[in-house]
Coordinates of all heavy atoms in Angstrom, one line a residue:
A158 N 28.2 22.0 11.8 CA 27.3 21.5 10.7 C 26.0 22.1 11.0 O 25.5 22.2 12.1 CB 27.3 20.0 10.8
A159 N 25.3 22.5 9.9 CA 24.0 23.1 10.0 C 22.9 22.3 9.3 O 21.8 22.3 9.8 CB 24.0 24.5 9.4
N160 N 23.2 21.7 8.2 CA 22.2 20.9 7.5 C 22.8 19.7 6.9 O 23.8 19.7 6.1 CB 21.6 21.7 6.2 CG 21.0 23.0 6.5 OD1 20.5 23.2 7.6 ND2 21.0 23.9 5.6
F161 N 22.3 18.5 7.3 CA 22.7 17.2 6.7 C 21.6 16.9 5.7 O 20.6 16.3 6.0 CB 22.8 16.1 7.8 CG 23.9 16.3 8.8 CD1 23.6 16.9 10.0 CD2 25.2 16.0 8.4 CE1 24.7 17.1 10.9 CE2 26.2 16.2 9.4 CZ 26.0 16.7 10.6
N162 N 21.9 17.4 4.4 CA 20.8 17.4 3.4 C 20.6 16.1 2.7 O 19.5 15.6 2.5 CB 21.1 18.5 2.4 CG 20.7 19.9 2.9 OD1 19.8 20.0 3.8 ND2 21.4 20.9 2.4
C163 N 21.7 15.5 2.3 CA 21.7 14.2 1.6 C 23.1 13.7 1.6 O 24.0 14.4 2.0 CB 21.1 14.3 0.2 SG 22.2 15.3 -0.9
P164 N 23.3 12.4 1.2 CA 24.7 11.9 1.2 C 25.6 12.8 0.4 O 25.4 13.1 -0.8 CB 24.6 10.5 0.6 CG 23.1 10.1 0.9 CD 22.3 11.4 0.8
G165 N 26.7 13.2 1.0 CA 27.7 14.1 0.4 C 27.3 15.5 0.2 O 28.0 16.3 -0.4
Q166 N 26.2 16.0 0.8 CA 25.9 17.4 0.8 C 25.5 17.9 2.2 O 24.5 17.5 2.8 CB 24.7 17.7 -0.1 CG 24.4 19.2 -0.3 CD 23.2 19.5 -1.0 OE1 22.3 20.2 -0.5 NE2 23.0 19.0 -2.2
I167 N 26.5 18.6 2.8 CA 26.3 19.1 4.2 C 26.6 20.6 4.1 O 27.5 21.1 3.5 CB 27.3 18.4 5.1 CG1 27.1 16.9 5.1 CG2 27.2 19.0 6.5 CD1 28.1 16.1 5.9
V168 N 25.8 21.4 4.8 CA 26.0 22.8 5.0 C 26.5 23.1 6.3 O 26.1 22.5 7.3 CB 24.6 23.6 4.7 CG1 24.8 25.1 5.0 CG2 24.1 23.3 3.3
I169 N 27.5 24.0 6.4 CA 28.1 24.4 7.7 C 27.7 25.9 7.9 O 27.4 26.6 7.0 CB 29.6 24.2 7.7 CG1 30.3 25.0 6.6 CG2 29.9 22.7 7.6 CD1 31.8 25.0 6.7
S170 N 27.8 26.3 9.2 CA 27.4 27.6 9.6 C 28.3 28.1 10.8 O 28.7 27.3 11.6 CB 25.9 27.6 10.0 OG 25.5 28.9 10.3
G171 N 28.5 29.4 10.9 CA 29.2 30.0 12.0 C 29.8 31.3 11.7 O 29.2 32.1 10.8
T172 N 30.8 31.7 12.4 CA 31.4 33.0 12.1 C 32.0 33.0 10.7 O 32.4 31.9 10.2 CB 32.6 33.3 13.1 OG1 33.6 32.3 13.0 CG2 32.1 33.3 14.5
T173 N 32.2 34.2 10.1 CA 32.7 34.2 8.7 C 34.1 33.6 8.7 O 34.4 32.9 7.8 CB 32.8 35.7 8.3 OG1 31.4 36.2 8.3 CG2 33.3 35.8 6.9
E174 N 34.9 33.9 9.7 CA 36.3 33.4 9.7 C 36.3 31.9 9.9 O 37.1 31.2 9.2 CB 37.1 34.0 10.9 CG 37.3 35.5 10.8 CD 36.1 36.3 11.2 OE1 35.1 35.8 11.8 OE2 36.1 37.6 11.0
G175 N 35.4 31.4 10.8 CA 35.4 29.9 11.0 C 34.9 29.2 9.8 O 35.5 28.1 9.4
V176 N 33.9 29.7 9.1 CA 33.4 29.1 7.9 C 34.4 29.1 6.8 O 34.6 28.1 6.1 CB 32.1 29.7 7.4 CG1 31.6 29.2 6.1 CG2 31.0 29.4 8.5
E177 N 35.1 30.2 6.6 CA 36.1 30.3 5.5 C 37.2 29.4 5.8 O 37.7 28.7 4.8 CB 36.6 31.8 5.4 CG 35.5 32.7 4.8 CD 35.9 34.2 4.8 OE1 37.0 34.5 5.5 OE2 35.3 35.0 4.1
R178 N 37.6 29.2 7.0 CA 38.7 28.3 7.4 C 38.2 26.8 7.1 O 39.0 26.0 6.5 CB 39.1 28.4 8.8 CG 40.3 27.5 9.2 CD 41.5 27.7 8.4 NE 42.6 26.8 8.7 CZ 43.5 26.4 7.8 NH1 43.5 26.8 6.6 NH2 44.5 25.6 8.2

Side-chain angles (χ1 to χ4, degrees):
N160 303 333
F161 293 99
N162 284 332
C163 67
Q166 186 188 124
I167 302 170
V168 176
I169 60 173
S170 182
T172 62
T173 301
E174 295 80 9
V176 169
E177 288 175 348
R178 182 59 185 149

